[in-house]
Amino acid sequence: MKTGFNRRSFLRNAGIGSGVLALGPLAASLATSTSASAADAAAFDTIANRVGHDSVKWDGALRNEKIDHVVAGMGIADMDFKAAPAITAALRKAVQYDNWGYIDMGQPSRKAWLKSIVDWNHKRYGITAMNEGNMGITTGVHAGILATMAAYSPAGSKVLLATPIYNGFYGDIRATKTVANESLMKMVNGRWEIDWNDFEAKASQPDTKVSILCNPQNPVGRAWTREELTRYGEICLKHNVLVLADEIHCDFISKGQKYIPFASLDNKAVVDNSITYKSVSKSFSLAGMKCAWFFTTNPEVYKATVFHNHADLNTLGMYAAEAAYAGGEGWLNDCVAYISDNHQFANDYIKKNIPMIKVGNAPEGTYLQWIDVSAIADKIGAKKMADDANQAAKDAASKMGTDYSGRQAMGEVRMQTPEDMVQHWLAKNAFVQLNSGTSYGLGGANHMRMNIATSRKTLKAALDSIAAATKKISA
Ligand SMILES: Cc1ncc(COP(=O)(O)O)c(C=O)c1O
């Protein structure tokens, strides 16, 4: 095993012998076997070696950017830390049972798991609007969003978004043949705010049927206030636009900020005009495990979403999710504090040492930072580089007799943008991979998204590397 982990001693310490184990009431055993091992902040100084494990963030960076080493993968939204010990213990225990057929969700242990999700949301975030009768399980937040959109977003209708926003929503929009109705946010005193007049004008268009809210907002790092969410919800209610609240990043809230669940707003009609999607996948970095859920106080929206939802389950994902809540809260609290400090560190570092990158206030939530790279784009001639790349692709296509414009119109070919060029330039010159702002919708130009969910040492090495590379071109 690449980590050098000694499996036998681990099993001994965890009280797990050889032979087949019943899966049984996993949560209870986890709570006793692992809660004492909740990590302290120092644990986050050690990251898992992700190179050679087919990770998008690290191996994908090497492959896509054609570089032979990488100082840090800072793209896709997962974390580099080793999983919470409770999760690893549960998965090790689970894989000793060697049959992976369908699971009966009617069993008491599975019902107890669903109840544990409700209890967690109730206790940790004060969400009382959720219960075992109004929630459903999905393989991911996207799967849940797509199920609701299947019912409420007819092809050709508009999806209201406050942009820049998580690029994955554009995939949901493509899949449902709907159209993004983008309301560009504006930077006010160092933080991104919704332009309410524009937002309402877009909400009032009769073909705008749903709005996907990202709370907290990926990529700009806003933790929306109660007032903002209420205003958002009231505008949508007034114009008959259903709110799809994606709260997958809810645990990552920086020190001094607060996560306000949309479903906790005071106006019941506003809450009833919404559905919320959540998961353990960001909080515990279980994105590859595919296990998420949704809930709504609106019985009609619930019924319609359940109707279109394939409640497929990933058994190991379910066990991982169960273990996370049963024995991982200490780890999560430490992780959230570490990320908050990382945000402050990165923000301060950039302001002090990388004049070619502009940032606003340190992000209020998520583990993502939205940075302005227009000075780098100017300096490296990114616009011309993108134009040349597009022309070369077009020429190559016409040599092969392919209809380039047609493929482009179908969304099969994406034009290269200056931000894409900055992404490649940073990979080749600083050996870091960030996400080009292009795919985050209106407002993505001149920006990139940087994932800071790694050890402070790796973060500093990445920032040092960016500082050195940009210094060379700043003269
Ligand atoms: C806001 C947001 N929603 C959804 C997802 C993906 O969720 P899932 O993998 O559960 O479909 C991500 C992943 O980055 C995200 O940032």
Side-chain angles (χ1 to χ4, degrees):
M1 193 172 180
K2 286 186 178 137
T3 54
F5 189 79
N6 182 331
R7 188 167 182 275
R8 225 181 258 146
S9 70
F10 175 85
L11 294 178
R12 214 170 34 242
N13 294 339
I16 301 170
S18 59
V20 176
L21 295 179
L23 293 173
L26 195 63
S29 75
L30 283 166
T32 52
S33 71
T34 57
S35 59
S37 62
D40 61 24
F44 299 98
D45 288 333
T46 313
I47 56 172
N49 172 23
R50 303 190 66 189
V51 173
H53 293 262
D54 299 338
S55 93
V56 172
K57 206 172 172 207
W58 291 73
D59 293 305
L62 290 166
R63 182 175 60 83
N64 288 320
E65 300 294 350
K66 300 181 183 61
I67 47 179
D68 61 5
H69 77 281
V70 61
V71 174
M74 305 179 98
I76 202 160
D78 64 23
M79 302 197 285
D80 293 335
F81 310 124
K82 292 185 178 189
I87 295 170
T88 305
L91 291 175
R92 285 180 188 282
K93 187 171 176 180
V95 294
Q96 291 179 64
Y97 179 70
D98 47 14
N99 181 287
W100 300 102
Y102 293 114
I103 292 287
D104 176 13
M105 290 304 288
Q107 292 295 323
S109 72
R110 298 305 89 211
K111 288 188 168 167
W113 171 53
L114 295 180
K115 183 171 178 317
S116 77
I117 296 172
V118 174
D119 290 348
W120 171 278
N121 277 283
H122 194 166
K123 267 200 245 138
R124 190 170 171 88
Y125 322 112
I127 299 175
T128 53
M130 182 185 189
N131 59 57
E132 287 131 272
N134 70 8
M135 69 174 290
I137 299 295
T138 67
T139 46
V141 162
H142 283 299
I145 290 175
L146 286 169
T148 310
M149 288 179 78
Y152 291 96
S153 304
S157 68
K158 288 183 180 155
V159 179
L160 179 59
L161 303 169
T163 68
I165 200 163
Y166 169 52
N167 49 3
F169 297 148
Y170 290 89
D172 300 335
I173 287 169
R174 260 196 317 277
T176 50
K177 298 188 166 49
T178 50
V179 181
N181 198 0
E182 298 168 301
S183 176
L184 179 63
M185 293 189 284
K186 46 188 184 184
M187 172 84 95
V188 181
N189 297 327
R191 70 176 200 171
W192 290 89
E193 292 189 359
I194 290 172
D195 178 341
W196 294 110
N197 288 338
D198 183 67
F199 186 79
E200 176 145 20
K202 305 239 152 93
S204 70
Q205 294 170 357
D207 49 355
T208 301
K209 303 291 183 197
V210 305
S211 177
I212 309 180
L213 163 72
C214 196
N215 176 36
Q217 177 100 355
N218 166 8
V220 301
R222 276 302 315 281
W224 303 111
T225 64
R226 187 169 289 279
E227 293 67 35
E228 286 170 314
L229 291 174
T230 301
R231 194 163 179 185
Y232 194 114
E234 285 176 353
I235 291 173
C236 287
L237 180 66
K238 180 172 157 197
H239 298 289
N240 208 13
V241 174
L242 181 68
V243 176
L244 279 48
D246 176 338
E247 302 194 344
I248 197 170
H249 289 277
C250 70
D251 280 301
F252 294 101
I253 298 294
S254 303
K255 284 169 191 161
Q257 303 294 330
K258 200 166 161 33
Y259 156 55
I260 310 290
F262 191 85
S264 73
L265 297 178
D266 296 331
N267 186 334
K268 186 175 173 329
V270 161
V271 174
D272 287 346
N273 184 47
S274 76
I275 174 164
T276 299
Y277 310 87
K278 304 190 80 167
S279 160
V280 278
S281 66
K282 294 298 160 200
S283 310
F284 290 91
S285 211
L286 290 170
M289 284 288 184
K290 304 321 294 172
C291 183
W293 44 88
F294 59 82
F295 69 91
T296 172
T297 52
N298 184 320
E300 189 204 290
V301 175
Y302 177 72
K303 239 167 86 185
T305 303
V306 167
F307 180 81
H308 290 285
N309 178 43
H310 271 282
D312 294 328
L313 272 175
N314 173 340
T315 305
L316 283 179
M318 178 173 60
Y319 291 148
E322 183 170 18
Y325 284 179
E329 191 163 16
W331 182 96
L332 176 60
N333 291 339
D334 291 339
C335 183
V336 170
Y338 194 90
I339 292 288
S340 179
D341 290 347
N342 263 9
H343 266 320
Q344 199 58 57
F345 173 81
N347 211 66
D348 293 347
Y349 184 106
I350 291 170
K351 281 186 170 157
K352 195 162 160 223
N353 302 306
I354 316 183
M356 294 191 90
I357 293 180
K358 273 195 271 167
V359 288
N361 300 340
E364 299 170 349
T366 77
Y367 47 71
L368 308 161
Q369 170 125 26
W370 189 237
I371 61 175
D372 181 332
V373 295
S374 41
I376 302 177
D378 278 354
K379 216 45 187 197
I380 65 171
K383 170 139 187 7
K384 177 163 185 335
M385 286 164 81
D387 290 345
D388 291 350
N390 289 323
Q391 190 57 50
K394 210 171 166 182
D395 293 346
S398 83
K399 253 191 215 149
M400 287 169 62
T402 326
D403 172 13
Y404 188 76
S405 312
R407 287 186 64 210
Q408 209 179 298
M410 297 287 290
E412 288 172 15
V413 180
R414 182 165 81 68
M415 297 285 279
Q416 296 287 295
T417 65
E419 301 75 51
D420 297 340
M421 298 301 126
V422 178
Q423 175 181 318
H424 303 322
W425 186 87
L426 282 172
K428 296 210 163 42
N429 291 276
F431 302 96
V432 294
Q433 200 228 348
L434 282 68
N435 292 124
S436 153
T438 309
S439 57
Y440 299 84
L442 194 59
N446 292 320
H447 288 80
M448 297 192 79
R449 191 186 76 168
M450 182 171 82
N451 180 338
I452 54 90
T454 193
S455 72
R456 193 87 26 89
K457 197 169 147 209
T458 305
L459 180 59
K460 181 170 182 315
L463 293 170
D464 284 347
S465 194
I466 296 172
T470 52
K471 199 165 173 210
K472 284 190 197 146
I473 56 165
S474 65

